[in-house]
Amino acid sequence: MAEMGKGVTAGKIASNMQKKLTRAQEKVLQKLGKADETKDEQFEQCVQNFNKQLTEGSKLQKDLRTYLASVKAMHEASKKLTECLQEVYEPEWPGRDDTNKIAENNDLLWVDFHQKLVDQALLTMDTYLGQFPDIKSRIAKRGRKLVDYDSARHHFESLQTAKKKDDTKIAKPVSLLEKAAPQWCQGKLQAHLVAQTNLLRNQAEEELVKAQKVFEEMNLDLQEELPSLWNSRVGFYVNTFQSIAGLEENFHKEMSKLNQNLNDVLMNLDKQYSSNAFPIKAQPRKKTKLFSKLRKKMSRYRDSAPAKANKSPSPPPDGTPITSPEIKTVNHELEPSSLETPGAGIPKSPSQPAETAPASAEPAGNEAPPASAEASGTEAAAGAEAPKPETDSGSAPSSLPAVVVETFPATVNGTEEGSAPSERADMPPGFLFKVQAMHDYVATDSDELPLKAGDVVLVIPFDNPDEQDEGWLMGVKEADWLQHKELDQSRGVFPENFTERVQ
């Protein structure tokens, strides 16, 4: 017999092919219901438990590998974070050596934690799952041997039950041989056929006994091994998760100590640099330094020029009252005697007698306006004391209406310009409100006002509102104003977000 390879012959190949065909035929007969199948419900339950245990273990192994990958990624992220701290931690700051030591211990702690997880959890998990493939292959082999046993059993049973049918098949050729063969050889032919039938029956019985022995040996081993494997899962799960929990507890305990040490170092740094803990930046100014200097020079030139006397505008030749954009007519009433009686433009009180009206109106008409409201007062006086228009006959018409006007003072930075009550004698001209510096500010230009935390600043309007940048105010320190009472050398601009309004 020719050899097909090392340890493999044509006879073995033919034998394996014959077994496969026999098993396939037996399974078809079992599915069709023409052959019974040997079943073991207890063993089938053990197989179901085995498959469940394998699925759970494989999932746990996958999740554990994911957890280890996350620990590795967290280690890398923590390492980069500590490296960033080392980069920004300047050499002259106290505790730099401590931060370097903490970063080194942090890295070693992560490495140790990951390695222990691999040794005490992952490798144990791999060993636990390593026994499943062999058992799984033995279960599959046991299933094949069970098919072989059923096939041998059915073959032997078919020989036993078909004895009469086989005798009939044998008798027909004998009757034919009897016709062709002589009388003396008919007995020998009959004996040969009987011996052949017995030989087939004996071979079938031997194959049945052999198949049954192989199957029972494998079945017995698995029936002892599978329940033991199923029960071992509890102890394995307990040991695995206890190891993980213990390693995590020790890791976080040691990491907590390192974090506390780092916190102490940073607290010490914060105490020494508490004044500059968080610098606040002022909003950038849009004006250039050159323009700021030019503006200051122009302001000084304007202050040094001789002051011009404020003059009230004279009425036009035609005698019409002087009007301004801020004068608004609010009422028109026919007062025939308003142009004849002085002070008639002032409305009378309903409870006041008529004869007292000229006496009360005249002081009101002759009252001088305040100095700070000279412009608005002049306009109001011009409107109230305008000369009577003359006609061709030289007499005033009695049908002209009286005009009552209301003036609206202009506002600058939220404060009424020319409003005398808002200004105080101890405050600079145009005083708006007070602010207190909450942080130090170092001036970066000659027109800026340096601040120290706690300084009180008197805010005043800009000479030219168009020069005011968003987020910046003009003011003078209260201490400087009370001491010198001058603005040229003391006032300056400062960032509003460095201060808080107090009045």
Side-chain angles (χ1 to χ4, degrees), residues 155-156 158-160 162-171 189-205:
H155 179 61
F156 179 74
S158 65
L159 291 178
Q160 289 289 89
K163 181 178 180 180
K164 295 180 179 180
K165 191 174 182 180
D166 292 340
D167 292 341
T168 304
K169 292 181 180 180
I170 295 173
L189 290 174
Q190 185 67 29
H192 175 72
L193 292 174
V194 171
Q196 186 178 8
T197 302
N198 292 334
L199 178 62
L200 291 175
R201 187 181 297 110
N202 293 336
Q203 289 178 351
E205 185 177 3

PDB file of all heavy atoms in Angstrom, residues 155-156 158-160 162-171 189-205:
ATOM      1  N   HIS A 155     -26.518  -0.874  13.075  1.00  0.00           N
ATOM      2  CA  HIS A 155     -26.070  -1.893  12.136  1.00  0.00           C
ATOM      3  C   HIS A 155     -26.203  -3.293  12.741  1.00  0.00           C
ATOM      4  O   HIS A 155     -26.685  -4.226  12.081  1.00  0.00           O
ATOM      5  CB  HIS A 155     -24.617  -1.629  11.740  1.00  0.00           C
ATOM      6  CG  HIS A 155     -24.062  -2.638  10.806  1.00  0.00           C
ATOM      7  ND1 HIS A 155     -24.581  -2.879   9.538  1.00  0.00           N
ATOM      8  CD2 HIS A 155     -23.000  -3.516  10.943  1.00  0.00           C
ATOM      9  CE1 HIS A 155     -23.890  -3.832   8.939  1.00  0.00           C
ATOM     10  NE2 HIS A 155     -22.917  -4.230   9.788  1.00  0.00           N
ATOM     11  N   PHE A 156     -25.824  -3.429  13.997  1.00  0.00           N
ATOM     12  CA  PHE A 156     -25.928  -4.731  14.649  1.00  0.00           C
ATOM     13  C   PHE A 156     -27.390  -5.123  14.821  1.00  0.00           C
ATOM     14  O   PHE A 156     -27.772  -6.287  14.601  1.00  0.00           O
ATOM     15  CB  PHE A 156     -25.223  -4.678  16.009  1.00  0.00           C
ATOM     16  CG  PHE A 156     -25.306  -5.958  16.762  1.00  0.00           C
ATOM     17  CD1 PHE A 156     -24.538  -7.058  16.392  1.00  0.00           C
ATOM     18  CD2 PHE A 156     -26.168  -6.083  17.866  1.00  0.00           C
ATOM     19  CE1 PHE A 156     -24.624  -8.251  17.104  1.00  0.00           C
ATOM     20  CE2 PHE A 156     -26.254  -7.274  18.565  1.00  0.00           C
ATOM     21  CZ  PHE A 156     -25.472  -8.355  18.195  1.00  0.00           C
ATOM     22  N   SER A 158     -29.834  -4.194  12.970  1.00  0.00           N
ATOM     23  CA  SER A 158     -30.387  -4.535  11.653  1.00  0.00           C
ATOM     24  C   SER A 158     -30.017  -5.949  11.250  1.00  0.00           C
ATOM     25  O   SER A 158     -30.810  -6.666  10.626  1.00  0.00           O
ATOM     26  CB  SER A 158     -29.893  -3.534  10.604  1.00  0.00           C
ATOM     27  OG  SER A 158     -28.484  -3.636  10.453  1.00  0.00           O
ATOM     28  N   LEU A 159     -28.827  -6.397  11.605  1.00  0.00           N
ATOM     29  CA  LEU A 159     -28.427  -7.780  11.309  1.00  0.00           C
ATOM     30  C   LEU A 159     -29.227  -8.773  12.146  1.00  0.00           C
ATOM     31  O   LEU A 159     -29.575  -9.872  11.685  1.00  0.00           O
ATOM     32  CB  LEU A 159     -26.936  -7.951  11.568  1.00  0.00           C
ATOM     33  CG  LEU A 159     -25.987  -7.216  10.607  1.00  0.00           C
ATOM     34  CD1 LEU A 159     -24.538  -7.434  11.023  1.00  0.00           C
ATOM     35  CD2 LEU A 159     -26.185  -7.691   9.170  1.00  0.00           C
ATOM     36  N   GLN A 160     -29.513  -8.416  13.363  1.00  0.00           N
ATOM     37  CA  GLN A 160     -30.266  -9.311  14.233  1.00  0.00           C
ATOM     38  C   GLN A 160     -31.713  -9.435  13.775  1.00  0.00           C
ATOM     39  O   GLN A 160     -32.263 -10.545  13.729  1.00  0.00           O
ATOM     40  CB  GLN A 160     -30.242  -8.766  15.662  1.00  0.00           C
ATOM     41  CG  GLN A 160     -28.889  -8.873  16.351  1.00  0.00           C
ATOM     42  CD  GLN A 160     -28.538 -10.305  16.710  1.00  0.00           C
ATOM     43  OE1 GLN A 160     -27.929 -11.026  15.897  1.00  0.00           O
ATOM     44  NE2 GLN A 160     -28.924 -10.736  17.895  1.00  0.00           N
ATOM     45  N   ALA A 162     -32.940  -8.753  10.795  1.00  0.00           N
ATOM     46  CA  ALA A 162     -33.091  -9.136   9.376  1.00  0.00           C
ATOM     47  C   ALA A 162     -32.539 -10.519   9.094  1.00  0.00           C
ATOM     48  O   ALA A 162     -32.134 -10.820   7.968  1.00  0.00           O
ATOM     49  CB  ALA A 162     -32.402  -8.099   8.488  1.00  0.00           C
ATOM     50  N   LYS A 163     -32.539 -11.409  10.090  1.00  0.00           N
ATOM     51  CA  LYS A 163     -31.968 -12.747   9.889  1.00  0.00           C
ATOM     52  C   LYS A 163     -32.810 -13.569   8.909  1.00  0.00           C
ATOM     53  O   LYS A 163     -32.286 -14.219   8.019  1.00  0.00           O
ATOM     54  CB  LYS A 163     -31.887 -13.457  11.231  1.00  0.00           C
ATOM     55  CG  LYS A 163     -31.280 -14.853  11.136  1.00  0.00           C
ATOM     56  CD  LYS A 163     -31.197 -15.476  12.527  1.00  0.00           C
ATOM     57  CE  LYS A 163     -30.579 -16.875  12.415  1.00  0.00           C
ATOM     58  NZ  LYS A 163     -30.479 -17.536  13.729  1.00  0.00           N
ATOM     59  N   LYS A 164     -34.124 -13.486   9.067  1.00  0.00           N
ATOM     60  CA  LYS A 164     -34.996 -14.235   8.175  1.00  0.00           C
ATOM     61  C   LYS A 164     -34.910 -13.699   6.760  1.00  0.00           C
ATOM     62  O   LYS A 164     -34.940 -14.464   5.795  1.00  0.00           O
ATOM     63  CB  LYS A 164     -36.431 -14.164   8.665  1.00  0.00           C
ATOM     64  CG  LYS A 164     -36.655 -14.841  10.013  1.00  0.00           C
ATOM     65  CD  LYS A 164     -38.104 -14.737  10.432  1.00  0.00           C
ATOM     66  CE  LYS A 164     -38.348 -15.433  11.768  1.00  0.00           C
ATOM     67  NZ  LYS A 164     -39.768 -15.348  12.195  1.00  0.00           N
ATOM     68  N   LYS A 165     -34.811 -12.355   6.681  1.00  0.00           N
ATOM     69  CA  LYS A 165     -34.720 -11.754   5.345  1.00  0.00           C
ATOM     70  C   LYS A 165     -33.429 -12.142   4.658  1.00  0.00           C
ATOM     71  O   LYS A 165     -33.402 -12.405   3.456  1.00  0.00           O
ATOM     72  CB  LYS A 165     -34.805 -10.237   5.477  1.00  0.00           C
ATOM     73  CG  LYS A 165     -34.987  -9.500   4.170  1.00  0.00           C
ATOM     74  CD  LYS A 165     -35.210  -8.026   4.428  1.00  0.00           C
ATOM     75  CE  LYS A 165     -35.442  -7.283   3.125  1.00  0.00           C
ATOM     76  NZ  LYS A 165     -35.668  -5.829   3.340  1.00  0.00           N
ATOM     77  N   ASP A 166     -32.370 -12.258   5.425  1.00  0.00           N
ATOM     78  CA  ASP A 166     -31.087 -12.680   4.856  1.00  0.00           C
ATOM     79  C   ASP A 166     -31.129 -14.143   4.455  1.00  0.00           C
ATOM     80  O   ASP A 166     -30.531 -14.544   3.446  1.00  0.00           O
ATOM     81  CB  ASP A 166     -29.972 -12.448   5.873  1.00  0.00           C
ATOM     82  CG  ASP A 166     -29.725 -10.957   6.117  1.00  0.00           C
ATOM     83  OD1 ASP A 166     -30.131 -10.139   5.261  1.00  0.00           O
ATOM     84  OD2 ASP A 166     -29.136 -10.605   7.168  1.00  0.00           O
ATOM     85  N   ASP A 167     -31.838 -14.959   5.229  1.00  0.00           N
ATOM     86  CA  ASP A 167     -31.961 -16.392   4.863  1.00  0.00           C
ATOM     87  C   ASP A 167     -32.679 -16.548   3.542  1.00  0.00           C
ATOM     88  O   ASP A 167     -32.335 -17.421   2.723  1.00  0.00           O
ATOM     89  CB  ASP A 167     -32.717 -17.148   5.961  1.00  0.00           C
ATOM     90  CG  ASP A 167     -31.905 -17.230   7.252  1.00  0.00           C
ATOM     91  OD1 ASP A 167     -30.671 -17.037   7.172  1.00  0.00           O
ATOM     92  OD2 ASP A 167     -32.510 -17.465   8.325  1.00  0.00           O
ATOM     93  N   THR A 168     -33.664 -15.701   3.296  1.00  0.00           N
ATOM     94  CA  THR A 168     -34.391 -15.762   2.026  1.00  0.00           C
ATOM     95  C   THR A 168     -33.483 -15.389   0.868  1.00  0.00           C
ATOM     96  O   THR A 168     -33.505 -16.009  -0.197  1.00  0.00           O
ATOM     97  CB  THR A 168     -35.603 -14.825   2.067  1.00  0.00           C
ATOM     98  OG1 THR A 168     -36.418 -15.168   3.181  1.00  0.00           O
ATOM     99  CG2 THR A 168     -36.420 -14.924   0.788  1.00  0.00           C
ATOM    100  N   LYS A 169     -32.658 -14.311   1.091  1.00  0.00           N
ATOM    101  CA  LYS A 169     -31.724 -13.911   0.031  1.00  0.00           C
ATOM    102  C   LYS A 169     -30.702 -14.994  -0.251  1.00  0.00           C
ATOM    103  O   LYS A 169     -30.273 -15.164  -1.387  1.00  0.00           O
ATOM    104  CB  LYS A 169     -31.014 -12.621   0.445  1.00  0.00           C
ATOM    105  CG  LYS A 169     -31.954 -11.403   0.500  1.00  0.00           C
ATOM    106  CD  LYS A 169     -31.173 -10.167   0.901  1.00  0.00           C
ATOM    107  CE  LYS A 169     -32.095  -8.946   0.954  1.00  0.00           C
ATOM    108  NZ  LYS A 169     -31.364  -7.702   1.355  1.00  0.00           N
ATOM    109  N   ILE A 170     -30.306 -15.698   0.779  1.00  0.00           N
ATOM    110  CA  ILE A 170     -29.314 -16.764   0.592  1.00  0.00           C
ATOM    111  C   ILE A 170     -29.947 -17.980  -0.069  1.00  0.00           C
ATOM    112  O   ILE A 170     -29.325 -18.660  -0.886  1.00  0.00           O
ATOM    113  CB  ILE A 170     -28.687 -17.153   1.946  1.00  0.00           C
ATOM    114  CG1 ILE A 170     -27.901 -15.954   2.490  1.00  0.00           C
ATOM    115  CG2 ILE A 170     -27.761 -18.349   1.801  1.00  0.00           C
ATOM    116  CD1 ILE A 170     -27.392 -16.184   3.901  1.00  0.00           C
ATOM    117  N   ALA A 171     -31.210 -18.232   0.226  1.00  0.00           N
ATOM    118  CA  ALA A 171     -31.878 -19.443  -0.300  1.00  0.00           C
ATOM    119  C   ALA A 171     -32.078 -19.373  -1.796  1.00  0.00           C
ATOM    120  O   ALA A 171     -32.025 -20.389  -2.496  1.00  0.00           O
ATOM    121  CB  ALA A 171     -33.220 -19.636   0.386  1.00  0.00           C
ATOM    122  N   LEU A 189     -22.107 -25.428  -0.047  1.00  0.00           N
ATOM    123  CA  LEU A 189     -22.520 -24.055  -0.324  1.00  0.00           C
ATOM    124  C   LEU A 189     -23.406 -23.498   0.802  1.00  0.00           C
ATOM    125  O   LEU A 189     -23.273 -22.354   1.222  1.00  0.00           O
ATOM    126  CB  LEU A 189     -23.267 -23.988  -1.659  1.00  0.00           C
ATOM    127  CG  LEU A 189     -22.420 -24.211  -2.915  1.00  0.00           C
ATOM    128  CD1 LEU A 189     -23.320 -24.265  -4.148  1.00  0.00           C
ATOM    129  CD2 LEU A 189     -21.384 -23.102  -3.055  1.00  0.00           C
ATOM    130  N   GLN A 190     -24.256 -24.317   1.313  1.00  0.00           N
ATOM    131  CA  GLN A 190     -25.131 -23.887   2.392  1.00  0.00           C
ATOM    132  C   GLN A 190     -24.334 -23.565   3.655  1.00  0.00           C
ATOM    133  O   GLN A 190     -24.575 -22.563   4.337  1.00  0.00           O
ATOM    134  CB  GLN A 190     -26.147 -25.004   2.697  1.00  0.00           C
ATOM    135  CG  GLN A 190     -27.188 -24.631   3.734  1.00  0.00           C
ATOM    136  CD  GLN A 190     -28.138 -23.547   3.254  1.00  0.00           C
ATOM    137  OE1 GLN A 190     -28.385 -23.446   2.044  1.00  0.00           O
ATOM    138  NE2 GLN A 190     -28.680 -22.778   4.172  1.00  0.00           N
ATOM    139  N   ALA A 191     -23.369 -24.366   3.940  1.00  0.00           N
ATOM    140  CA  ALA A 191     -22.538 -24.130   5.120  1.00  0.00           C
ATOM    141  C   ALA A 191     -21.715 -22.847   4.966  1.00  0.00           C
ATOM    142  O   ALA A 191     -21.507 -22.086   5.921  1.00  0.00           O
ATOM    143  CB  ALA A 191     -21.618 -25.320   5.353  1.00  0.00           C
ATOM    144  N   HIS A 192     -21.260 -22.580   3.741  1.00  0.00           N
ATOM    145  CA  HIS A 192     -20.467 -21.363   3.492  1.00  0.00           C
ATOM    146  C   HIS A 192     -21.308 -20.104   3.721  1.00  0.00           C
ATOM    147  O   HIS A 192     -20.841 -19.127   4.336  1.00  0.00           O
ATOM    148  CB  HIS A 192     -19.927 -21.402   2.060  1.00  0.00           C
ATOM    149  CG  HIS A 192     -19.203 -20.158   1.677  1.00  0.00           C
ATOM    150  ND1 HIS A 192     -17.972 -19.805   2.162  1.00  0.00           N
ATOM    151  CD2 HIS A 192     -19.577 -19.112   0.832  1.00  0.00           C
ATOM    152  CE1 HIS A 192     -17.594 -18.642   1.666  1.00  0.00           C
ATOM    153  NE2 HIS A 192     -18.565 -18.216   0.829  1.00  0.00           N
ATOM    154  N   LEU A 193     -22.528 -20.105   3.271  1.00  0.00           N
ATOM    155  CA  LEU A 193     -23.388 -18.949   3.445  1.00  0.00           C
ATOM    156  C   LEU A 193     -23.717 -18.708   4.911  1.00  0.00           C
ATOM    157  O   LEU A 193     -23.760 -17.562   5.391  1.00  0.00           O
ATOM    158  CB  LEU A 193     -24.667 -19.129   2.634  1.00  0.00           C
ATOM    159  CG  LEU A 193     -24.502 -19.113   1.100  1.00  0.00           C
ATOM    160  CD1 LEU A 193     -25.820 -19.443   0.414  1.00  0.00           C
ATOM    161  CD2 LEU A 193     -23.980 -17.766   0.632  1.00  0.00           C
ATOM    162  N   VAL A 194     -23.933 -19.741   5.652  1.00  0.00           N
ATOM    163  CA  VAL A 194     -24.226 -19.603   7.082  1.00  0.00           C
ATOM    164  C   VAL A 194     -23.016 -19.044   7.819  1.00  0.00           C
ATOM    165  O   VAL A 194     -23.129 -18.150   8.687  1.00  0.00           O
ATOM    166  CB  VAL A 194     -24.653 -20.959   7.675  1.00  0.00           C
ATOM    167  CG1 VAL A 194     -24.752 -20.866   9.196  1.00  0.00           C
ATOM    168  CG2 VAL A 194     -25.972 -21.395   7.090  1.00  0.00           C
ATOM    169  N   ALA A 195     -21.848 -19.520   7.452  1.00  0.00           N
ATOM    170  CA  ALA A 195     -20.631 -19.023   8.096  1.00  0.00           C
ATOM    171  C   ALA A 195     -20.398 -17.551   7.771  1.00  0.00           C
ATOM    172  O   ALA A 195     -19.965 -16.756   8.632  1.00  0.00           O
ATOM    173  CB  ALA A 195     -19.441 -19.867   7.649  1.00  0.00           C
ATOM    174  N   GLN A 196     -20.692 -17.151   6.549  1.00  0.00           N
ATOM    175  CA  GLN A 196     -20.512 -15.749   6.163  1.00  0.00           C
ATOM    176  C   GLN A 196     -21.465 -14.837   6.931  1.00  0.00           C
ATOM    177  O   GLN A 196     -21.083 -13.751   7.376  1.00  0.00           O
ATOM    178  CB  GLN A 196     -20.732 -15.609   4.651  1.00  0.00           C
ATOM    179  CG  GLN A 196     -20.424 -14.217   4.126  1.00  0.00           C
ATOM    180  CD  GLN A 196     -20.596 -14.123   2.623  1.00  0.00           C
ATOM    181  OE1 GLN A 196     -21.105 -15.098   1.990  1.00  0.00           O
ATOM    182  NE2 GLN A 196     -20.174 -13.023   2.037  1.00  0.00           N
ATOM    183  N   THR A 197     -22.690 -15.279   7.110  1.00  0.00           N
ATOM    184  CA  THR A 197     -23.661 -14.474   7.866  1.00  0.00           C
ATOM    185  C   THR A 197     -23.223 -14.335   9.323  1.00  0.00           C
ATOM    186  O   THR A 197     -23.323 -13.253   9.922  1.00  0.00           O
ATOM    187  CB  THR A 197     -25.030 -15.130   7.786  1.00  0.00           C
ATOM    188  OG1 THR A 197     -25.434 -15.252   6.405  1.00  0.00           O
ATOM    189  CG2 THR A 197     -26.067 -14.325   8.549  1.00  0.00           C
ATOM    190  N   ASN A 198     -22.771 -15.376   9.894  1.00  0.00           N
ATOM    191  CA  ASN A 198     -22.303 -15.322  11.282  1.00  0.00           C
ATOM    192  C   ASN A 198     -21.086 -14.401  11.432  1.00  0.00           C
ATOM    193  O   ASN A 198     -20.949 -13.686  12.436  1.00  0.00           O
ATOM    194  CB  ASN A 198     -21.959 -16.716  11.767  1.00  0.00           C
ATOM    195  CG  ASN A 198     -23.197 -17.604  11.892  1.00  0.00           C
ATOM    196  OD1 ASN A 198     -24.314 -17.109  12.088  1.00  0.00           O
ATOM    197  ND2 ASN A 198     -23.008 -18.919  11.753  1.00  0.00           N
ATOM    198  N   LEU A 199     -20.211 -14.424  10.415  1.00  0.00           N
ATOM    199  CA  LEU A 199     -19.027 -13.564  10.459  1.00  0.00           C
ATOM    200  C   LEU A 199     -19.422 -12.094  10.435  1.00  0.00           C
ATOM    201  O   LEU A 199     -18.895 -11.270  11.204  1.00  0.00           O
ATOM    202  CB  LEU A 199     -18.116 -13.898   9.274  1.00  0.00           C
ATOM    203  CG  LEU A 199     -16.848 -13.054   9.153  1.00  0.00           C
ATOM    204  CD1 LEU A 199     -15.960 -13.251  10.385  1.00  0.00           C
ATOM    205  CD2 LEU A 199     -16.085 -13.421   7.883  1.00  0.00           C
ATOM    206  N   LEU A 200     -20.363 -11.737   9.599  1.00  0.00           N
ATOM    207  CA  LEU A 200     -20.818 -10.343   9.538  1.00  0.00           C
ATOM    208  C   LEU A 200     -21.451  -9.921  10.855  1.00  0.00           C
ATOM    209  O   LEU A 200     -21.246  -8.802  11.339  1.00  0.00           O
ATOM    210  CB  LEU A 200     -21.819 -10.178   8.386  1.00  0.00           C
ATOM    211  CG  LEU A 200     -21.242 -10.314   6.971  1.00  0.00           C
ATOM    212  CD1 LEU A 200     -22.367 -10.260   5.939  1.00  0.00           C
ATOM    213  CD2 LEU A 200     -20.206  -9.241   6.689  1.00  0.00           C
ATOM    214  N   ARG A 201     -22.220 -10.830  11.446  1.00  0.00           N
ATOM    215  CA  ARG A 201     -22.855 -10.499  12.708  1.00  0.00           C
ATOM    216  C   ARG A 201     -21.821 -10.313  13.801  1.00  0.00           C
ATOM    217  O   ARG A 201     -21.923  -9.391  14.638  1.00  0.00           O
ATOM    218  CB  ARG A 201     -23.843 -11.597  13.080  1.00  0.00           C
ATOM    219  CG  ARG A 201     -24.698 -11.251  14.305  1.00  0.00           C
ATOM    220  CD  ARG A 201     -25.658 -12.364  14.669  1.00  0.00           C
ATOM    221  NE  ARG A 201     -26.614 -12.595  13.592  1.00  0.00           N
ATOM    222  CZ  ARG A 201     -26.632 -13.685  12.809  1.00  0.00           C
ATOM    223  NH1 ARG A 201     -25.728 -14.635  12.989  1.00  0.00           N
ATOM    224  NH2 ARG A 201     -27.537 -13.822  11.852  1.00  0.00           N
ATOM    225  N   ASN A 202     -20.822 -11.148  13.805  1.00  0.00           N
ATOM    226  CA  ASN A 202     -19.758 -11.021  14.818  1.00  0.00           C
ATOM    227  C   ASN A 202     -18.954  -9.726  14.647  1.00  0.00           C
ATOM    228  O   ASN A 202     -18.593  -9.062  15.631  1.00  0.00           O
ATOM    229  CB  ASN A 202     -18.833 -12.229  14.741  1.00  0.00           C
ATOM    230  CG  ASN A 202     -19.529 -13.521  15.172  1.00  0.00           C
ATOM    231  OD1 ASN A 202     -20.517 -13.484  15.933  1.00  0.00           O
ATOM    232  ND2 ASN A 202     -19.033 -14.663  14.677  1.00  0.00           N
ATOM    233  N   GLN A 203     -18.668  -9.364  13.397  1.00  0.00           N
ATOM    234  CA  GLN A 203     -17.931  -8.127  13.146  1.00  0.00           C
ATOM    235  C   GLN A 203     -18.748  -6.906  13.592  1.00  0.00           C
ATOM    236  O   GLN A 203     -18.206  -5.948  14.191  1.00  0.00           O
ATOM    237  CB  GLN A 203     -17.592  -8.019  11.657  1.00  0.00           C
ATOM    238  CG  GLN A 203     -16.530  -9.002  11.196  1.00  0.00           C
ATOM    239  CD  GLN A 203     -16.260  -8.900   9.704  1.00  0.00           C
ATOM    240  OE1 GLN A 203     -16.975  -8.217   8.965  1.00  0.00           O
ATOM    241  NE2 GLN A 203     -15.205  -9.590   9.246  1.00  0.00           N
ATOM    242  N   ALA A 204     -20.030  -6.935  13.324  1.00  0.00           N
ATOM    243  CA  ALA A 204     -20.895  -5.825  13.746  1.00  0.00           C
ATOM    244  C   ALA A 204     -20.951  -5.720  15.263  1.00  0.00           C
ATOM    245  O   ALA A 204     -20.953  -4.621  15.832  1.00  0.00           O
ATOM    246  CB  ALA A 204     -22.299  -6.023  13.164  1.00  0.00           C
ATOM    247  N   GLU A 205     -20.967  -6.866  15.902  1.00  0.00           N
ATOM    248  CA  GLU A 205     -20.991  -6.844  17.365  1.00  0.00           C
ATOM    249  C   GLU A 205     -19.684  -6.312  17.933  1.00  0.00           C
ATOM    250  O   GLU A 205     -19.691  -5.531  18.904  1.00  0.00           O
ATOM    251  CB  GLU A 205     -21.262  -8.261  17.869  1.00  0.00           C
ATOM    252  CG  GLU A 205     -21.430  -8.339  19.373  1.00  0.00           C
ATOM    253  CD  GLU A 205     -21.776  -9.733  19.852  1.00  0.00           C
ATOM    254  OE1 GLU A 205     -21.826 -10.642  18.997  1.00  0.00           O
ATOM    255  OE2 GLU A 205     -22.010  -9.909  21.061  1.00  0.00           O
TER     256      GLU A 205
END
